[in-house]
Amino acid sequence: MIEERAELYGAATPQELAAEVYENYKEFVNPSLARVMKLSGSPVEVRARGCTIWDHNGKAYLDFAGGYGVFTLGYMHPRAVAAVRDQLDRIALSGKTMFNVLLGRAARRLAELAPGDLRVSFWCNSGTEAIEGAIKLARAATGRAKIVGTEDAFHGKTLGALSVSGRETFQTPFRPLLADSVCVPYGTTDTLEDALRDAAAFVVEPVQGEGGVHVPPAGYLRDVRAICDRTGALFIADEIQTGLGRCGYRFACDRDAVVPDVMTLAKGLSGGIMPVGAFIARPHWWNRAFGKAPLLHTSTFGGNELACTAALTAMNVLEEEGLAEAARVRGEQLLTGARAVAAEYPAVVRQARGLGLLVGVELTNEGYGGWIIPEMLKAGVTAAWTLNAQRVIRLEPPLVVTAREVDRALAALRAGVATAFEKLGTL
Ligand code: PLP
């Protein structure tokens, strides 16, 4: 507690800090979001370690929102922090005109871990940038324009990524988006072959995260692979949320043992220390797109030394600490527990589903969530909605979460659901 108080960013009291941050958000960040956050009782984050965030009052929260999948290694993993600190004393951002050791090493390590012959990678700063790059690669490599996505998908909010994301609310104010972009149903290949016949690429999440945590039938990605081979469209696997251990596999594509043509990564790639994204491609496609024009796709900050140091360390920690396997075991515990809550309160919870430590709890009515998430927060556990499905509460803690922490989160979920039922009855 004392340590947290000492970190109040110069404010005399916790209340003053909370007032200051609210005022700044309201005036200078995002006025309407500021009000929503205040209404829902959002505290101020001041410090975090492992699976725990401390707020301005020194209260600890188990973080089961997990930065929407960023904190694979937990907050502030000591090895990643030390590596980044050390790098900060050498060179932080690339001068760009000289070779960058860390970019080379991170790219090599990613190619070692990625499935099959995925080999050449481009490094950027976020998930949506990785998707933009992958779409550009597909268009340049195939000479085709059309990009196919899936209904309810989420790939980011820049214009290209938004074009193949599946929520009207996020798209409408920005139309026209990319011409020739269409969405097909997720998890079935019924209409896929027709859609892909003249397409540059199919962009698909191995588990649809923001769409409400939908796990496709086993074999779906194998069918996708075969259809892409037949039609000549590139298979872009968006592993931004599902990759790097999250779903209990190194990459969620490994569940179907498929090799996509391009894979996009971000979120967990740096272990939660630095913003970083990347797409990695099979050499054949890479060369067709960028082989003769090395500056066709670039980024000033992409591949910087700090981000690549964090990513390199995070990939090593992921492997050495067996975090994909840990996610599988803890994920089963979490899903089993969430299903027990669903069985106990069928009027409130329609279904719990997921893969590894990406679990979604679908409510029978959105209204219940207004009680469940705040009640969980009061009990010291964070959880969040999925972006494209407001009826699904996501649970995606760091992969280092312990069995006891999972039990605590489940107890908070159960209590939240019980309160929601008590207050609202059957809706
Ligand atoms: N793709 C997927 C599957 C995501 O879940 C997200 C973010 O939630 C993105 C892309 C976009 O990433 P970013 O917010 O870093 O741009």
Side-chain angles (χ1 to χ4, degrees):
M1 187 80 158
I2 288 162
E3 195 186 344
E4 273 69 73
R5 285 284 165 87
E7 282 181 27
L8 280 178
Y9 300 93
T13 66
Q15 290 69 28
E16 280 173 7
L17 186 73
E20 180 208 321
V21 74
Y22 173 64
E23 195 59 20
N24 285 339
Y25 264 52
K26 193 162 62 73
E27 295 298 323
F28 306 111
V29 180
N30 187 332
S32 47
L33 179 68
R35 284 184 203 103
V36 172
M37 288 178 75
K38 188 166 181 147
L39 269 177
S40 60
S42 287
V44 181
E45 58 189 15
V46 295
R47 182 173 174 268
R49 290 287 182 283
C51 297
T52 304
I53 308 180
W54 284 267
D55 77 2
H56 58 300
N57 288 312
K59 178 173 170 179
Y61 300 82
L62 266 181
D63 189 18
F64 271 61
Y68 309 152
V70 167
F71 296 99
T72 47
L73 310 190
Y75 285 84
M76 309 293 282
H77 191 285
R79 266 177 71 186
V81 171
V84 169
R85 280 215 176 104
D86 183 53
Q87 183 57 40
L88 194 52
D89 283 335
R90 297 165 198 262
I91 178 168
L93 301 179
S94 169
K96 298 309 248 194
T97 56
M98 299 185 195
F99 283 112
N100 165 350
V101 177
L102 276 309
L103 173 58
R105 287 184 184 164
R108 170 184 278 269
R109 190 70 179 123
L110 181 57
E112 284 166 3
L113 299 184
D117 59 346
L118 285 167
R119 189 171 174 83
V120 189
S121 57
F122 177 88
W123 291 64
C124 51
N125 312 286
S126 66
T128 199
E129 276 177 84
I131 294 287
E132 296 294 320
I135 289 175
K136 285 176 71 182
L137 182 148
R139 281 187 159 188
T142 60
R144 300 175 181 177
K146 183 177 173 187
I147 307 292
V148 180
T150 57
E151 289 165 9
D152 296 328
F154 186 76
H155 298 293
K157 286 186 179 158
T158 50
L159 290 174
L162 195 58
S163 304
V164 282
S165 292
R167 188 160 175 217
E168 279 292 323
T169 322
F170 293 147
Q171 294 178 318
T172 304
F174 308 107
R175 292 193 183 282
L177 296 171
L178 275 192
D180 279 337
S181 49
V182 298
C183 286
V184 295
Y186 182 75
T188 163
T189 51
D190 286 354
T191 57
L192 189 60
E193 188 139 3
D194 276 348
L196 287 187
R197 235 177 274 288
D198 53 348
F202 181 47
V203 187
V204 63
E205 299 159 84
V207 172
Q208 206 179 57
E210 302 300 332
V213 188
H214 295 289
V215 184
Y220 170 61
L221 295 181
R222 267 202 301 281
D223 294 345
V224 167
R225 176 70 277 172
I227 293 170
C228 285
D229 288 340
R230 286 202 291 277
T231 55
L234 268 64
F235 171 7
I236 300 175
D238 180 350
E239 292 257 18
I240 286 166
Q241 186 149 198
T242 56
L244 298 158
R246 169 63 51 195
C247 290
Y249 298 85
R250 195 187 271 161
F251 299 98
C253 277
D254 296 340
R255 172 176 176 243
D256 266 1
V258 291
V259 182
D261 297 305
V262 185
M263 193 165 78
T264 56
L265 297 160
K267 291 196 187 273
L269 184 55
S270 83
I273 302 292
M274 298 293 299
V276 65
F279 63 88
I280 181 165
R282 302 174 104 168
H284 165 72
W285 292 118
W286 178 280
N287 291 333
R288 280 182 66 162
F290 303 133
K292 294 204 180 83
L295 300 182
L296 205 51
H297 189 67
T298 57
S299 160
T300 301
F301 289 133
N304 71 74
E305 279 86 343
L306 288 184
C308 288
T309 299
L312 182 61
T313 312
M315 287 186 276
N316 288 336
V317 170
L318 189 83
E319 289 299 294
E320 289 162 30
E321 295 189 6
L323 293 183
E325 176 58 22
R328 190 179 299 203
V329 175
R330 291 282 76 82
E332 265 171 35
Q333 180 193 352
L334 183 59
L335 187 55
T336 305
R339 282 184 171 150
V341 176
E344 200 178 341
Y345 293 95
V348 179
V349 181
R350 172 167 294 151
Q351 190 187 40
R353 51 181 181 258
L355 192 67
L357 280 172
L358 178 54
V359 168
V361 178
E362 182 174 342
L363 307 178
T364 55
N365 188 297
E366 225 171 289
Y368 290 120
W371 278 100
I372 298 170
I373 293 181
E375 282 298 307
M376 289 179 73
L377 199 66
K378 270 195 237 159
V381 177
T382 69
W385 297 113
T386 55
L387 258 184
N388 288 351
Q390 298 276 289
R391 221 166 47 188
V392 180
I393 296 175
R394 83 176 73 216
L395 302 170
E396 51 176 331
L399 312 186
V400 293
V401 72
T402 63
R404 277 187 62 194
E405 287 170 332
V406 170
D407 279 340
R408 269 188 54 205
L410 285 168
L413 174 69
R414 190 187 168 281
V417 168
T419 305
F421 188 54
E422 209 178 283
K423 300 284 179 194
L424 303 175
T426 303
L427 291 176

